[in-house]
Amino acid sequence: MAEPAPVSRSVTYCGVCTLPPEYCEYGGTVKKCQEWLQKNHPSLYERIWSAEALEAATASLSVEAQERAAKDAKKKAAKAEAAEQKHADKLANSVVTIKRIERNKRKFVTAVSGLEAFGLELKKVAKDFGKKFATGSSVTKTPSGGEEIVVQGDVSAEIEEFLLEKYKEIPEDNIELVEDKKKKAPSAG
């Protein structure tokens, strides 16, 4: 007996939360998900989020359950909005520090920290620095537990220009240049 050929299904995933649109309400970005779905898949949006669809979904619930569902939806929306505000405040307060550190008498390294707050992958940025300035560039751990990019050579001013040019999400006001002299070891004698 011949088996029927398997049929593939095409599943649409949300561009914001990466869940199927039917499950976006369980993520933390419902409003953004709705906007994305309305823009990219209007028919699917109408099926899930139109007034008739929402009314049909809540019609089978008791009055108490409907009130509870509405209250939960308001609470989730407020929570998502608060999280978004917190993220925006964090970005506004984040500072990218570019330090020029003296290694030997005339040798310098430039350390860049604070980029992770802007959602940048440090390894990729370090690779970009290495290519742009034709020097060694690496991601190192700091004693405080964070990570920074160390670039060989005194390229602090050029790094600032490069960051502003290539990574538009970093505001100019959030970049600060620091010059750091290496402490000299006390001479024995």
Side-chain angles (χ1 to χ4, degrees), residues 49-123:
W49 295 107
S50 68
E52 300 85 38
L54 292 174
E55 195 174 303
T58 57
S60 62
L61 298 174
S62 67
V63 174
E64 293 170 4
Q66 286 181 1
E67 289 173 358
R68 201 169 39 242
K71 188 177 174 184
D72 287 349
K74 281 184 182 176
K75 194 185 268 185
K76 270 189 179 178
K79 195 174 184 181
E81 200 171 293
E84 201 172 295
Q85 183 65 36
K86 186 177 178 184
H87 180 70
D89 290 346
K90 183 181 175 189
L91 277 182
N93 295 332
S94 297
V95 176
V96 175
T97 308
I98 302 173
K99 281 187 195 170
R100 177 178 161 231
I101 304 168
E102 189 176 344
R103 247 184 3 152
N104 293 347
K105 291 177 186 170
R106 292 189 341 247
K107 303 279 185 185
F108 293 95
V109 293
T110 306
V112 183
S113 58
L115 290 173
E116 60 278 346
F118 295 95
L120 300 175
E121 288 187 44
L122 294 183
K123 284 189 174 186

Side-chain angles (χ1 to χ4, degrees), residues 13 20-21 40 51 86 109 121 123 126 131 153 156 163 169 179:
Y13 291 97
N40 295 304
K86 186 177 178 184
V109 293
E121 288 187 44
K123 284 189 174 186
K131 287 179 183 175
S156 50
L163 284 174
E169 59 266 25
E179 191 168 325

Side-chain angles (χ1 to χ4, degrees), residues 1-74:
M1 184 167 175
E3 290 185 31
V7 180
S8 65
R9 291 187 180 181
S10 176
V11 179
T12 303
Y13 291 97
C14 176
V16 177
C17 67
T18 68
L19 293 171
E22 294 85 4
Y23 296 97
C24 284
E25 64 184 292
Y26 302 111
T29 57
V30 181
K31 277 198 187 308
K32 287 184 180 177
C33 293
Q34 287 177 347
E35 291 168 5
W36 179 88
L37 191 62
Q38 190 172 19
K39 181 181 172 192
N40 295 304
H41 298 281
S43 60
L44 195 55
Y45 175 83
E46 286 298 316
R47 197 181 85 205
I48 298 171
W49 295 107
S50 68
E52 300 85 38
L54 292 174
E55 195 174 303
T58 57
S60 62
L61 298 174
S62 67
V63 174
E64 293 170 4
Q66 286 181 1
E67 289 173 358
R68 201 169 39 242
K71 188 177 174 184
D72 287 349
K74 281 184 182 176

Side-chain angles (χ1 to χ4, degrees), residues 166-183:
K166 183 154 184 180
Y167 302 103
K168 304 286 187 206
E169 59 266 25
I170 303 173
E172 188 173 356
D173 300 339
N174 292 30
I175 297 178
E176 90 177 12
L177 290 168
V178 178
E179 191 168 325
D180 196 11
K181 299 263 191 216
K182 192 170 188 177
K183 296 177 182 113

